[in-house]
Amino acid sequence: MQVVSLIPVNDLTRWDPIDLAEVTMRMKEVANSGYFMRGLHTSDLEKQLGVMLNEMKVICVGNGTDALVLALLSLGIKPGEKVATVANAGGYATGAILRIGAVPVLVDVELATAQMSVASLSIQLETHPEIRAVIATHLYGLMTDMQMVRELTMAKGVLLIEDCAQAIGAELSGIPAGAWGDASTFSFYPTKNLACLGDGGAVAFKNTKNADACRRLAQYGWSERYVISDSNGFNSRLDEIQAAILVSRMQRLTHNNQARKSIISRYVKSLHETRYMVHNNANDFVGHLAVMVTPHHQSDIAKLNRANVGNGVHYPVLDHHQPAWKEHFAGVSLPNSEQLVRSIITLPCFPLLTENEISQVCEVLKTL
């Protein structure tokens, strides 16, 4: 089978005509209003996200990484305190932990799901009783086992933060991703399931006091205009244009999540032998990325490349192998994470993939 042009992992030049018209209208509306920061659209987005998250208190911020930093600071994590997280999620949580001077403790993942291993977390909580918080990242659109993770953290009196950058719209046992923890964070980067046209993020809290602290920290640490009451404050605000776009796109979130899941379900049916997709058919999966696990990593990549099927690795370097962070993780071993990073391939998956492209990917997968 010959494929004429590259089938991309994602393509931000493609537009749904209805989405393009709506986004253009919203941008003009904000431009004509002359109000570009923390206006009515940002307020509306925070309210809508709060409703989605079972009435969590939401603050929109500049990006998903700032959201993680602000969640930690707002919950009172101090320099030198320990925070547990996984090593296979791109380094965003670990980077946030290090940025505030805290100490990351890395937890291994499950081979089948690539999500935080409850068994590994339990061991780390016993080994490091001084751990103050856990950041559970919902990777690839599949949720971590939050029932067990929450039980563990509550039993130990440990704070729980959910990183929902790849899982907005997912839910487990009727509880949305982002409503399980003491705080949760979101990214609206252009490739996300709910995406703006630039950087954007949000933080959500169960506790109003934490939310108020976050709102101050995200605007220079002001307690009132030009009065700095918290030295940890910095500037992290969502542009009003981006908020307006996100309010519009929330209406299509469920539809687009289902489109992603449908694509991955078709890939699943095309695989055989020992290859599998990180997925399930339940509501705790929203198909952010189509990630295949294969024991034939290099040969499969070569076959995909020959067939012009775009592919990648999310993510190629584990946190404890990052050159800048090695000093923090001497002697750390995470067998499952290390096996997966040698075995994962990201395949094309976004709502505007054509029927022909999806079929072509499936045909290539059948030949692996």
Short mmCIF file of all heavy atoms in Angstrom, two decimals, residues 173-242:
data_model
loop_
_atom_site.label_atom_id
_atom_site.label_comp_id
_atom_site.label_asym_id
_atom_site.label_seq_id
_atom_site.Cartn_x
_atom_site.Cartn_y
_atom_site.Cartn_z
N SER A 173 -15.92 6.69 37.92
CA SER A 173 -16.99 6.48 38.92
C SER A 173 -17.85 7.73 39.08
O SER A 173 -18.28 8.08 40.18
CB SER A 173 -16.38 6.09 40.28
OG SER A 173 -15.63 4.90 40.16
N GLY A 174 -18.08 8.42 37.98
CA GLY A 174 -18.94 9.60 37.99
C GLY A 174 -18.27 10.87 38.48
O GLY A 174 -18.90 11.93 38.51
N ILE A 175 -17.00 10.78 38.88
CA ILE A 175 -16.27 11.96 39.37
C ILE A 175 -15.29 12.40 38.29
O ILE A 175 -14.47 11.60 37.82
CB ILE A 175 -15.51 11.65 40.68
CG1 ILE A 175 -16.50 11.19 41.75
CG2 ILE A 175 -14.72 12.87 41.15
CD1 ILE A 175 -15.83 10.74 43.04
N PRO A 176 -15.34 13.66 37.87
CA PRO A 176 -14.48 14.11 36.77
C PRO A 176 -13.01 14.12 37.13
O PRO A 176 -12.64 14.31 38.30
CB PRO A 176 -14.97 15.55 36.51
CG PRO A 176 -16.25 15.69 37.24
CD PRO A 176 -16.23 14.71 38.37
N ALA A 177 -12.17 13.94 36.14
CA ALA A 177 -10.74 14.20 36.30
C ALA A 177 -10.60 15.65 36.73
O ALA A 177 -11.14 16.55 36.09
CB ALA A 177 -10.01 13.96 34.98
N GLY A 178 -9.90 15.87 37.83
CA GLY A 178 -9.74 17.21 38.35
C GLY A 178 -10.57 17.49 39.59
O GLY A 178 -10.37 18.51 40.24
N ALA A 179 -11.49 16.59 39.92
CA ALA A 179 -12.34 16.80 41.10
C ALA A 179 -12.02 15.80 42.22
O ALA A 179 -12.72 15.77 43.23
CB ALA A 179 -13.82 16.68 40.72
N TRP A 180 -10.98 15.01 42.04
CA TRP A 180 -10.61 14.02 43.05
C TRP A 180 -9.66 14.58 44.10
O TRP A 180 -9.70 14.17 45.25
CB TRP A 180 -9.94 12.81 42.38
CG TRP A 180 -10.86 11.95 41.61
CD1 TRP A 180 -11.28 12.15 40.32
CD2 TRP A 180 -11.47 10.73 42.04
NE1 TRP A 180 -12.11 11.13 39.93
CE2 TRP A 180 -12.25 10.25 40.97
CE3 TRP A 180 -11.43 10.01 43.22
CZ2 TRP A 180 -12.98 9.07 41.05
CZ3 TRP A 180 -12.16 8.83 43.32
CH2 TRP A 180 -12.92 8.36 42.24
N GLY A 181 -8.80 15.49 43.69
CA GLY A 181 -7.73 15.92 44.57
C GLY A 181 -8.03 17.20 45.33
O GLY A 181 -9.11 17.78 45.22
N ASP A 182 -7.04 17.63 46.12
CA ASP A 182 -7.14 18.92 46.79
C ASP A 182 -7.00 20.05 45.78
O ASP A 182 -7.54 21.15 45.98
CB ASP A 182 -6.02 19.04 47.84
CG ASP A 182 -6.14 17.97 48.91
OD1 ASP A 182 -7.04 18.12 49.77
OD2 ASP A 182 -5.38 16.99 48.88
N ALA A 183 -6.27 19.77 44.70
CA ALA A 183 -6.10 20.74 43.62
C ALA A 183 -5.94 19.98 42.31
O ALA A 183 -5.58 18.79 42.31
CB ALA A 183 -4.88 21.63 43.86
N SER A 184 -6.19 20.65 41.21
CA SER A 184 -5.97 20.04 39.90
C SER A 184 -5.52 21.11 38.92
O SER A 184 -5.82 22.30 39.10
CB SER A 184 -7.23 19.35 39.39
OG SER A 184 -8.35 20.23 39.37
N THR A 185 -4.79 20.69 37.91
CA THR A 185 -4.24 21.64 36.95
C THR A 185 -4.59 21.22 35.53
O THR A 185 -4.76 20.03 35.23
CB THR A 185 -2.71 21.73 37.09
OG1 THR A 185 -2.12 20.47 36.73
CG2 THR A 185 -2.31 22.09 38.52
N PHE A 186 -4.66 22.23 34.65
CA PHE A 186 -5.06 22.01 33.26
C PHE A 186 -4.18 22.83 32.34
O PHE A 186 -3.73 23.92 32.70
CB PHE A 186 -6.53 22.41 33.05
CG PHE A 186 -7.49 21.59 33.86
CD1 PHE A 186 -7.75 21.92 35.19
CD2 PHE A 186 -8.12 20.48 33.32
CE1 PHE A 186 -8.62 21.17 35.96
CE2 PHE A 186 -8.99 19.72 34.08
CZ PHE A 186 -9.24 20.06 35.40
N SER A 187 -3.95 22.30 31.15
CA SER A 187 -3.26 23.03 30.09
C SER A 187 -4.21 23.15 28.90
O SER A 187 -4.92 22.21 28.57
CB SER A 187 -2.00 22.29 29.67
OG SER A 187 -1.46 22.87 28.48
N PHE A 188 -4.18 24.33 28.25
CA PHE A 188 -4.98 24.55 27.05
C PHE A 188 -4.08 24.80 25.84
O PHE A 188 -4.45 25.51 24.90
CB PHE A 188 -5.93 25.73 27.27
CG PHE A 188 -6.80 25.58 28.48
CD1 PHE A 188 -6.82 26.56 29.46
CD2 PHE A 188 -7.59 24.46 28.65
CE1 PHE A 188 -7.62 26.44 30.58
CE2 PHE A 188 -8.39 24.31 29.78
CZ PHE A 188 -8.40 25.31 30.75
N TYR A 189 -2.88 24.23 25.88
CA TYR A 189 -1.94 24.29 24.76
C TYR A 189 -2.64 23.86 23.47
O TYR A 189 -3.57 23.04 23.52
CB TYR A 189 -0.76 23.37 25.09
CG TYR A 189 0.39 23.43 24.13
CD1 TYR A 189 1.29 24.48 24.16
CD2 TYR A 189 0.58 22.41 23.19
CE1 TYR A 189 2.36 24.51 23.27
CE2 TYR A 189 1.64 22.45 22.30
CZ TYR A 189 2.53 23.51 22.35
OH TYR A 189 3.58 23.55 21.46
N PRO A 190 -2.23 24.37 22.30
CA PRO A 190 -2.99 24.13 21.07
C PRO A 190 -3.26 22.69 20.69
O PRO A 190 -4.21 22.42 19.94
CB PRO A 190 -2.13 24.83 20.01
CG PRO A 190 -1.48 25.95 20.74
CD PRO A 190 -1.18 25.40 22.10
N THR A 191 -2.46 21.73 21.17
CA THR A 191 -2.70 20.33 20.81
C THR A 191 -3.60 19.60 21.81
O THR A 191 -3.91 18.42 21.61
CB THR A 191 -1.37 19.56 20.71
OG1 THR A 191 -0.68 19.65 21.96
CG2 THR A 191 -0.50 20.11 19.58
N LYS A 192 -4.01 20.27 22.88
CA LYS A 192 -4.81 19.60 23.92
C LYS A 192 -6.24 19.34 23.45
O LYS A 192 -6.70 19.90 22.46
CB LYS A 192 -4.82 20.43 25.20
CG LYS A 192 -3.46 20.72 25.79
CD LYS A 192 -2.68 19.46 26.14
CE LYS A 192 -1.37 19.82 26.83
NZ LYS A 192 -0.50 18.64 27.00
N ASN A 193 -6.97 18.52 24.21
CA ASN A 193 -8.35 18.21 23.86
C ASN A 193 -9.23 19.45 23.91
O ASN A 193 -10.14 19.62 23.09
CB ASN A 193 -8.91 17.14 24.80
CG ASN A 193 -8.20 15.82 24.65
OD1 ASN A 193 -6.97 15.77 24.56
ND2 ASN A 193 -8.95 14.72 24.63
N LEU A 194 -9.00 20.32 24.88
CA LEU A 194 -9.61 21.65 24.92
C LEU A 194 -8.46 22.63 24.75
O LEU A 194 -7.63 22.79 25.64
CB LEU A 194 -10.34 21.90 26.24
CG LEU A 194 -11.00 23.29 26.39
CD1 LEU A 194 -12.06 23.50 25.32
CD2 LEU A 194 -11.58 23.46 27.78
N ALA A 195 -8.41 23.29 23.58
CA ALA A 195 -7.20 24.03 23.19
C ALA A 195 -7.51 25.47 22.82
O ALA A 195 -8.54 25.77 22.21
CB ALA A 195 -6.54 23.33 22.01
N CYS A 196 -6.58 26.34 23.18
CA CYS A 196 -6.65 27.73 22.70
C CYS A 196 -5.64 27.91 21.59
O CYS A 196 -5.06 26.95 21.08
CB CYS A 196 -6.47 28.71 23.85
SG CYS A 196 -4.93 28.56 24.78
N LEU A 197 -5.41 29.15 21.17
CA LEU A 197 -4.49 29.43 20.06
C LEU A 197 -3.17 29.98 20.59
O LEU A 197 -2.60 30.92 20.04
CB LEU A 197 -5.11 30.41 19.07
CG LEU A 197 -6.44 29.98 18.44
CD1 LEU A 197 -6.86 30.96 17.36
CD2 LEU A 197 -6.34 28.57 17.86
N GLY A 198 -2.69 29.38 21.65
CA GLY A 198 -1.46 29.81 22.28
C GLY A 198 -1.35 29.09 23.60
O GLY A 198 -1.85 27.98 23.76
N ASP A 199 -0.69 29.72 24.57
CA ASP A 199 -0.59 29.11 25.89
C ASP A 199 -1.80 29.48 26.75
O ASP A 199 -2.37 30.56 26.62
CB ASP A 199 0.69 29.59 26.60
CG ASP A 199 1.85 28.63 26.38
OD1 ASP A 199 1.60 27.41 26.29
OD2 ASP A 199 3.00 29.09 26.29
N GLY A 200 -2.13 28.58 27.64
CA GLY A 200 -3.22 28.83 28.59
C GLY A 200 -3.31 27.69 29.58
O GLY A 200 -2.90 26.56 29.28
N GLY A 201 -3.81 27.98 30.76
CA GLY A 201 -3.95 26.94 31.77
C GLY A 201 -4.96 27.32 32.82
O GLY A 201 -5.53 28.43 32.79
N ALA A 202 -5.20 26.42 33.76
CA ALA A 202 -6.12 26.69 34.86
C ALA A 202 -5.74 25.84 36.06
O ALA A 202 -5.13 24.77 35.91
CB ALA A 202 -7.57 26.39 34.46
N VAL A 203 -6.08 26.34 37.24
CA VAL A 203 -5.90 25.62 38.50
C VAL A 203 -7.24 25.57 39.20
O VAL A 203 -7.99 26.55 39.19
CB VAL A 203 -4.88 26.31 39.42
CG1 VAL A 203 -4.41 25.35 40.50
CG2 VAL A 203 -3.70 26.85 38.65
N ALA A 204 -7.56 24.42 39.80
CA ALA A 204 -8.82 24.28 40.52
C ALA A 204 -8.54 23.76 41.94
O ALA A 204 -7.62 22.97 42.14
CB ALA A 204 -9.76 23.31 39.80
N PHE A 205 -9.35 24.23 42.90
CA PHE A 205 -9.15 23.85 44.30
C PHE A 205 -10.49 23.50 44.94
O PHE A 205 -11.52 24.08 44.62
CB PHE A 205 -8.55 25.02 45.10
CG PHE A 205 -7.19 25.44 44.64
CD1 PHE A 205 -7.05 26.44 43.69
CD2 PHE A 205 -6.05 24.83 45.14
CE1 PHE A 205 -5.78 26.83 43.25
CE2 PHE A 205 -4.79 25.22 44.72
CZ PHE A 205 -4.66 26.22 43.78
N LYS A 206 -10.43 22.58 45.89
CA LYS A 206 -11.60 22.30 46.71
C LYS A 206 -11.81 23.40 47.74
O LYS A 206 -12.94 23.77 48.06
CB LYS A 206 -11.42 20.95 47.41
CG LYS A 206 -11.79 19.74 46.57
CD LYS A 206 -11.92 18.51 47.44
CE LYS A 206 -12.57 17.36 46.68
NZ LYS A 206 -11.77 16.86 45.59
N ASN A 207 -10.71 23.93 48.26
CA ASN A 207 -10.75 24.88 49.37
C ASN A 207 -10.69 26.32 48.87
O ASN A 207 -9.78 26.68 48.11
CB ASN A 207 -9.57 24.59 50.30
CG ASN A 207 -9.60 25.39 51.57
OD1 ASN A 207 -9.54 26.61 51.54
ND2 ASN A 207 -9.70 24.72 52.72
N THR A 208 -11.64 27.15 49.29
CA THR A 208 -11.68 28.54 48.86
C THR A 208 -10.42 29.31 49.28
O THR A 208 -9.93 30.16 48.53
CB THR A 208 -12.92 29.24 49.44
OG1 THR A 208 -14.09 28.55 48.97
CG2 THR A 208 -13.00 30.69 49.00
N LYS A 209 -9.90 28.99 50.45
CA LYS A 209 -8.69 29.67 50.93
C LYS A 209 -7.51 29.43 49.98
O LYS A 209 -6.75 30.37 49.67
CB LYS A 209 -8.34 29.17 52.34
CG LYS A 209 -7.14 29.86 52.96
CD LYS A 209 -6.88 29.33 54.37
CE LYS A 209 -5.63 29.97 54.98
NZ LYS A 209 -5.36 29.45 56.34
N ASN A 210 -7.36 28.20 49.52
CA ASN A 210 -6.29 27.90 48.56
C ASN A 210 -6.52 28.62 47.24
O ASN A 210 -5.56 29.12 46.62
CB ASN A 210 -6.21 26.39 48.31
CG ASN A 210 -5.87 25.58 49.53
OD1 ASN A 210 -6.44 24.51 49.76
ND2 ASN A 210 -4.93 26.05 50.35
N ALA A 211 -7.77 28.67 46.80
CA ALA A 211 -8.09 29.36 45.54
C ALA A 211 -7.78 30.85 45.64
O ALA A 211 -7.23 31.45 44.70
CB ALA A 211 -9.55 29.14 45.18
N ASP A 212 -8.12 31.46 46.76
CA ASP A 212 -7.82 32.87 46.97
C ASP A 212 -6.31 33.12 46.96
O ASP A 212 -5.83 34.11 46.39
CB ASP A 212 -8.42 33.37 48.28
CG ASP A 212 -9.94 33.42 48.26
OD1 ASP A 212 -10.52 33.40 47.16
OD2 ASP A 212 -10.55 33.47 49.35
N ALA A 213 -5.58 32.22 47.59
CA ALA A 213 -4.12 32.34 47.60
C ALA A 213 -3.57 32.25 46.18
O ALA A 213 -2.67 33.01 45.79
CB ALA A 213 -3.50 31.24 48.47
N CYS A 214 -4.11 31.33 45.39
CA CYS A 214 -3.66 31.16 44.00
C CYS A 214 -3.94 32.41 43.17
O CYS A 214 -3.09 32.86 42.40
CB CYS A 214 -4.35 29.95 43.37
SG CYS A 214 -3.85 29.64 41.67
N ARG A 215 -5.11 32.98 43.36
CA ARG A 215 -5.45 34.19 42.58
C ARG A 215 -4.49 35.33 42.90
O ARG A 215 -4.10 36.10 42.03
CB ARG A 215 -6.90 34.58 42.86
CG ARG A 215 -7.50 35.49 41.79
CD ARG A 215 -8.98 35.70 41.99
NE ARG A 215 -9.76 34.50 41.71
CZ ARG A 215 -10.12 34.11 40.49
NH1 ARG A 215 -9.73 34.79 39.44
NH2 ARG A 215 -10.85 33.02 40.33
N ARG A 216 -4.09 35.43 44.17
CA ARG A 216 -3.10 36.46 44.54
C ARG A 216 -1.74 36.16 43.91
O ARG A 216 -1.09 37.02 43.34
CB ARG A 216 -2.96 36.53 46.07
CG ARG A 216 -4.13 37.16 46.78
CD ARG A 216 -3.77 37.48 48.23
NE ARG A 216 -3.37 36.30 49.00
CZ ARG A 216 -4.23 35.51 49.64
NH1 ARG A 216 -5.54 35.76 49.60
NH2 ARG A 216 -3.79 34.48 50.32
N LEU A 217 -1.31 34.89 44.05
CA LEU A 217 0.01 34.51 43.55
C LEU A 217 0.12 34.70 42.04
O LEU A 217 1.19 35.05 41.53
CB LEU A 217 0.28 33.04 43.90
CG LEU A 217 0.59 32.74 45.36
CD1 LEU A 217 0.44 31.26 45.64
CD2 LEU A 217 2.00 33.21 45.70
N ALA A 218 -0.96 34.46 41.33
CA ALA A 218 -0.95 34.57 39.87
C ALA A 218 -0.96 36.01 39.37
O ALA A 218 -0.81 36.25 38.18
CB ALA A 218 -2.14 33.81 39.28
N GLN A 219 -1.13 36.95 40.29
CA GLN A 219 -1.08 38.38 39.92
C GLN A 219 -0.12 39.10 40.88
O GLN A 219 -0.52 39.90 41.71
CB GLN A 219 -2.46 39.02 39.93
CG GLN A 219 -2.43 40.46 39.41
CD GLN A 219 -3.75 40.89 38.82
OE1 GLN A 219 -4.08 40.49 37.71
NE2 GLN A 219 -4.52 41.69 39.55
N TYR A 220 1.17 38.72 40.74
CA TYR A 220 2.28 39.39 41.43
C TYR A 220 2.31 39.19 42.94
O TYR A 220 3.16 39.76 43.61
CB TYR A 220 2.28 40.90 41.14
CG TYR A 220 2.11 41.27 39.69
CD1 TYR A 220 0.94 41.90 39.25
CD2 TYR A 220 3.11 40.98 38.77
CE1 TYR A 220 0.78 42.23 37.91
CE2 TYR A 220 2.95 41.31 37.43
CZ TYR A 220 1.79 41.94 37.01
OH TYR A 220 1.63 42.27 35.68
N GLY A 221 1.38 38.43 43.50
CA GLY A 221 1.28 38.33 44.95
C GLY A 221 0.54 39.50 45.57
O GLY A 221 0.64 39.74 46.78
N TRP A 222 -0.24 40.21 44.76
CA TRP A 222 -1.00 41.37 45.26
C TRP A 222 -2.12 40.94 46.19
O TRP A 222 -2.90 40.05 45.89
CB TRP A 222 -1.65 42.13 44.10
CG TRP A 222 -0.73 42.95 43.26
CD1 TRP A 222 0.59 43.22 43.48
CD2 TRP A 222 -1.08 43.63 42.05
NE1 TRP A 222 1.08 44.01 42.48
CE2 TRP A 222 0.08 44.28 41.59
CE3 TRP A 222 -2.26 43.74 41.31
CZ2 TRP A 222 0.10 45.04 40.42
CZ3 TRP A 222 -2.25 44.49 40.15
CH2 TRP A 222 -1.08 45.15 39.71
N SER A 223 -2.25 41.62 47.30
CA SER A 223 -3.44 41.51 48.14
C SER A 223 -4.46 42.55 47.72
O SER A 223 -5.67 42.38 47.90
CB SER A 223 -3.08 41.68 49.61
OG SER A 223 -2.39 42.90 49.81
N GLU A 224 -3.96 43.65 47.18
CA GLU A 224 -4.77 44.66 46.50
C GLU A 224 -3.87 45.29 45.45
O GLU A 224 -2.67 45.04 45.43
CB GLU A 224 -5.31 45.71 47.48
CG GLU A 224 -4.23 46.42 48.29
CD GLU A 224 -4.82 47.36 49.31
OE1 GLU A 224 -5.25 48.46 48.87
OE2 GLU A 224 -4.86 47.02 50.50
N ARG A 225 -4.43 46.08 44.59
CA ARG A 225 -3.67 46.60 43.46
C ARG A 225 -2.38 47.30 43.92
O ARG A 225 -2.41 48.21 44.75
CB ARG A 225 -4.54 47.57 42.65
CG ARG A 225 -3.94 47.95 41.29
CD ARG A 225 -5.00 48.70 40.47
NE ARG A 225 -4.49 49.12 39.19
CZ ARG A 225 -4.40 48.36 38.09
NH1 ARG A 225 -4.81 47.10 38.16
NH2 ARG A 225 -3.95 48.84 36.95
N TYR A 226 -1.25 46.80 43.37
CA TYR A 226 0.09 47.33 43.64
C TYR A 226 0.60 47.07 45.05
O TYR A 226 1.67 47.57 45.42
CB TYR A 226 0.17 48.84 43.35
CG TYR A 226 -0.23 49.22 41.94
CD1 TYR A 226 -1.19 50.21 41.71
CD2 TYR A 226 0.32 48.57 40.84
CE1 TYR A 226 -1.57 50.55 40.42
CE2 TYR A 226 -0.06 48.91 39.54
CZ TYR A 226 -1.00 49.89 39.34
OH TYR A 226 -1.38 50.23 38.06
N VAL A 227 -0.12 46.28 45.84
CA VAL A 227 0.33 45.95 47.19
C VAL A 227 0.72 44.47 47.22
O VAL A 227 -0.14 43.58 47.15
CB VAL A 227 -0.75 46.23 48.24
CG1 VAL A 227 -0.26 45.83 49.63
CG2 VAL A 227 -1.14 47.71 48.23
N ILE A 228 2.02 44.17 47.30
CA ILE A 228 2.51 42.81 47.25
C ILE A 228 2.54 42.22 48.67
O ILE A 228 3.26 42.71 49.54
CB ILE A 228 3.93 42.76 46.64
CG1 ILE A 228 3.89 43.26 45.19
CG2 ILE A 228 4.50 41.33 46.71
CD1 ILE A 228 5.25 43.44 44.57
N SER A 229 1.74 41.21 48.89
CA SER A 229 1.65 40.59 50.22
C SER A 229 2.27 39.21 50.25
O SER A 229 2.41 38.61 51.32
CB SER A 229 0.19 40.50 50.67
OG SER A 229 -0.54 39.69 49.77
N ASP A 230 2.66 38.65 49.07
CA ASP A 230 3.27 37.32 49.01
C ASP A 230 4.47 37.38 48.06
O ASP A 230 4.31 37.65 46.86
CB ASP A 230 2.26 36.28 48.52
CG ASP A 230 2.74 34.86 48.75
OD1 ASP A 230 3.95 34.60 48.58
OD2 ASP A 230 1.91 34.01 49.10
N SER A 231 5.64 37.13 48.58
CA SER A 231 6.87 37.25 47.79
C SER A 231 7.00 36.17 46.73
O SER A 231 7.85 36.26 45.83
CB SER A 231 8.09 37.21 48.71
OG SER A 231 8.15 35.99 49.41
N ASN A 232 6.17 35.12 46.79
CA ASN A 232 6.20 34.07 45.77
C ASN A 232 5.37 34.40 44.54
O ASN A 232 5.33 33.63 43.58
CB ASN A 232 5.67 32.75 46.37
CG ASN A 232 6.64 32.13 47.34
OD1 ASN A 232 7.84 32.09 47.09
ND2 ASN A 232 6.14 31.65 48.47
N GLY A 233 4.70 35.55 44.55
CA GLY A 233 3.83 35.90 43.43
C GLY A 233 4.59 36.18 42.15
O GLY A 233 5.75 36.58 42.16
N PHE A 234 3.91 35.95 41.04
CA PHE A 234 4.46 36.29 39.72
C PHE A 234 3.28 36.54 38.78
O PHE A 234 2.12 36.48 39.22
CB PHE A 234 5.39 35.20 39.20
CG PHE A 234 4.76 33.82 39.08
CD1 PHE A 234 4.31 33.34 37.86
CD2 PHE A 234 4.66 32.99 40.20
CE1 PHE A 234 3.75 32.08 37.75
CE2 PHE A 234 4.10 31.72 40.10
CZ PHE A 234 3.65 31.26 38.87
N ASN A 235 3.54 36.83 37.53
CA ASN A 235 2.47 37.17 36.61
C ASN A 235 2.09 35.97 35.75
O ASN A 235 2.89 35.49 34.96
CB ASN A 235 2.91 38.33 35.71
CG ASN A 235 1.85 38.71 34.69
OD1 ASN A 235 0.66 38.46 34.89
ND2 ASN A 235 2.25 39.29 33.58
N SER A 236 0.88 35.44 35.93
CA SER A 236 0.41 34.33 35.12
C SER A 236 -1.09 34.49 34.90
O SER A 236 -1.89 34.08 35.74
CB SER A 236 0.71 32.99 35.81
OG SER A 236 0.34 31.91 34.98
N ARG A 237 -1.44 35.10 33.78
CA ARG A 237 -2.85 35.36 33.49
C ARG A 237 -3.21 34.83 32.11
O ARG A 237 -2.39 34.86 31.19
CB ARG A 237 -3.13 36.87 33.55
CG ARG A 237 -2.94 37.47 34.93
CD ARG A 237 -3.09 38.97 34.93
NE ARG A 237 -2.09 39.63 34.13
CZ ARG A 237 -1.71 40.91 34.30
NH1 ARG A 237 -2.27 41.65 35.24
NH2 ARG A 237 -0.78 41.43 33.54
N LEU A 238 -4.43 34.36 31.96
CA LEU A 238 -4.94 33.92 30.67
C LEU A 238 -5.45 35.12 29.89
O LEU A 238 -6.23 35.93 30.42
CB LEU A 238 -6.06 32.91 30.86
CG LEU A 238 -6.67 32.30 29.59
CD1 LEU A 238 -5.65 31.40 28.89
CD2 LEU A 238 -7.93 31.51 29.92
N ASP A 239 -5.02 35.26 28.64
CA ASP A 239 -5.53 36.35 27.80
C ASP A 239 -7.03 36.20 27.58
O ASP A 239 -7.55 35.08 27.43
CB ASP A 239 -4.85 36.34 26.42
CG ASP A 239 -3.36 36.63 26.51
OD1 ASP A 239 -2.90 37.07 27.57
OD2 ASP A 239 -2.67 36.40 25.50
N GLU A 240 -7.71 37.32 27.50
CA GLU A 240 -9.17 37.30 27.31
C GLU A 240 -9.56 36.67 25.98
O GLU A 240 -10.58 35.98 25.88
CB GLU A 240 -9.70 38.73 27.42
CG GLU A 240 -11.21 38.84 27.41
CD GLU A 240 -11.90 38.34 28.68
OE1 GLU A 240 -11.21 37.82 29.58
OE2 GLU A 240 -13.14 38.47 28.75
N ILE A 241 -8.76 36.88 24.95
CA ILE A 241 -9.04 36.26 23.65
C ILE A 241 -9.00 34.73 23.77
O ILE A 241 -9.87 34.03 23.25
CB ILE A 241 -8.06 36.75 22.56
CG1 ILE A 241 -8.47 38.14 22.07
CG2 ILE A 241 -8.00 35.78 21.39
CD1 ILE A 241 -7.56 38.73 21.02
N GLN A 242 -8.00 34.22 24.47
CA GLN A 242 -7.90 32.77 24.64
C GLN A 242 -9.07 32.23 25.46
O GLN A 242 -9.62 31.17 25.16
CB GLN A 242 -6.57 32.40 25.33
CG GLN A 242 -5.33 32.93 24.64
CD GLN A 242 -5.10 32.34 23.26
OE1 GLN A 242 -5.90 31.54 22.76
NE2 GLN A 242 -4.02 32.73 22.62
#
